[in-house]
Amino acid sequence: MVNLISNTSTSIITALCILTVIFALLMLFAKTAINSALGLLAVLLCSAAIYAVIGEHFVATIQILVYAGAIMVLFIFSIMLLNLTEEEKEQEKKQEKKFFTPHLIVLLIGPLAAMFAFILVAFSLEYFSPYVSRYSYKGVYTKEHIMQIGGNTFAMAQELFATHYILFELISIFLLIAMIAAVVLAKRKID
Amino acid sequence: MNAFFQIQLLSAFLFFVGLLVVLLKRNIIIVLMGIELMLNAINLSFVVFSKQNYQIEGQLGVLFIIVIAAAESAIGLSILINFYRNFGVTKTSVANTLKG
């Protein structure tokens, strides 16, 4: 593997990974919905920082603008809108005691299998890629090439608007349809 | 350890936590947040694989995944508002009137 990332960046990435794990666990074990939302927000910001450190500036910007901005505002808005009543809080406290039941172990099997599948794929691509390198497809966007054509954002724009423009148009129409659907669904009565 | 491999491990762990949130939490808002966390984990994995192989298509995929996540959360939350209007709570255990 060519050394794409300097040693300082590697230690920054390690620190960010540990922070992200901590915030994800905070999200999982949060007692209220708003604490969970704040944990998710911190996870999204940390992953934006990871994107920025490995050099993907456009993805980092979009992550902050769309994920940490728009989507989190939607979530926090609906948490505020759908306020829990006192009775529900009492019920939650009663149910909280039954958190660690035997079926939790059965529930853990699926997520653990997913995690190990992920790790297996990453591990095999990491350590067996030198042996199968003549079969794997390497693109043209090396660090030098990206610097030569004027940065990561420019390279993405070229690829998006010159090669994959049909996908771009389709996704914009899809977004419009989703917007109309959200308005129609949230309306009380359609007249 | 390689930085890229660390990020892959982080991605796997975030997917694990997101799936656990979806399976364990009883509030529908938090379940939707777990779905967002899983999508974010996939994004991390996409970006790192595309960076490793000197490609840029992975980042375009991330762009599209973010758009779809935004649409999905908007529609999901408007369905959730309807659910709250009908039942008065946002619990997964209440949504049992559809018999199959």
Side-chain angles (χ1 to χ4, degrees), chain A residues 19-90:
Chain A
L19 258 184
T20 315
V21 166
I22 291 170
F23 284 125
L25 287 177
L26 275 182
M27 182 198 167
L28 178 59
F29 291 112
K31 286 273 185 287
T32 59
I34 194 81
N35 286 352
S36 217
L38 288 176
L40 179 60
L41 180 62
V43 168
L44 296 176
L45 287 176
C46 284
S47 19
I50 291 174
Y51 293 145
V53 171
I54 66 172
E56 314 294 351
H57 305 122
F58 185 70
V59 178
T61 316
I62 290 296
Q63 172 95 2
I64 291 178
L65 280 179
V66 178
Y67 252 126
I71 296 180
M72 285 318 293
V73 164
L74 260 182
F75 273 113
I76 292 175
F77 182 75
S78 42
I79 290 169
M80 300 288 178
L81 196 67
L82 314 175
N83 220 345
L84 288 181
T85 53
E86 290 299 318
E87 293 166 32
E88 264 193 81
K89 279 179 192 166
E90 290 294 317

Side-chain angles (χ1 to χ4, degrees), chain A residues 14 28 30 47 51 54 56 63 67 78 88 92 95 104 125-126 137-139 141 159 185-186, chain B residues 2 6 24-26 36 40 43-44 49 51-57 59 77 82 84-85 89 91:
Chain A
T14 311
L28 178 59
S47 19
Y51 293 145
I54 66 172
E56 314 294 351
Q63 172 95 2
Y67 252 126
S78 42
E88 264 193 81
E92 296 238 326
Q95 283 182 338
L104 182 71
L125 283 174
E126 180 74 30
Y137 170 63
K138 295 278 183 198
Y141 290 96
E159 197 73 18
L185 278 173
Chain B
N2 193 335
Q6 281 177 31
L24 289 179
K25 291 287 182 173
R26 294 182 180 85
E36 297 295 325
N40 188 53
N43 281 350
L44 269 174
F49 276 137
K51 183 93 182 166
Q52 261 181 343
N53 290 320
Y54 309 114
Q55 295 169 12
I56 211 131
E57 277 88 357
Q59 294 172 43
L77 289 170
N82 270 326
Y84 185 74
R85 263 189 214 134
V89 286
K91 293 280 191 61

Side-chain angles (χ1 to χ4, degrees), chain A residues 76-133:
Chain A
I76 292 175
F77 182 75
S78 42
I79 290 169
M80 300 288 178
L81 196 67
L82 314 175
N83 220 345
L84 288 181
T85 53
E86 290 299 318
E87 293 166 32
E88 264 193 81
K89 279 179 192 166
E90 290 294 317
Q91 274 186 350
E92 296 238 326
K93 267 177 200 164
K94 274 180 202 164
Q95 283 182 338
E96 206 66 46
K97 284 173 188 167
K98 302 189 293 186
F99 192 78
F100 289 104
T101 45
H103 73 263
L104 182 71
I105 298 158
V106 182
L107 272 181
L108 269 172
I109 292 172
L112 275 176
M115 186 164 80
F116 284 121
F118 256 70
I119 292 172
L120 200 66
V121 169
F123 182 81
S124 48
L125 283 174
E126 180 74 30
Y127 287 98
F128 300 119
S129 62
Y131 308 107
V132 292
S133 62

Side-chain angles (χ1 to χ4, degrees), chain A residues 8-20:
Chain A
T8 345
S9 297
T10 306
S11 47
I12 292 173
I13 285 172
T14 311
L16 281 171
C17 286
I18 293 167
L19 258 184
T20 315

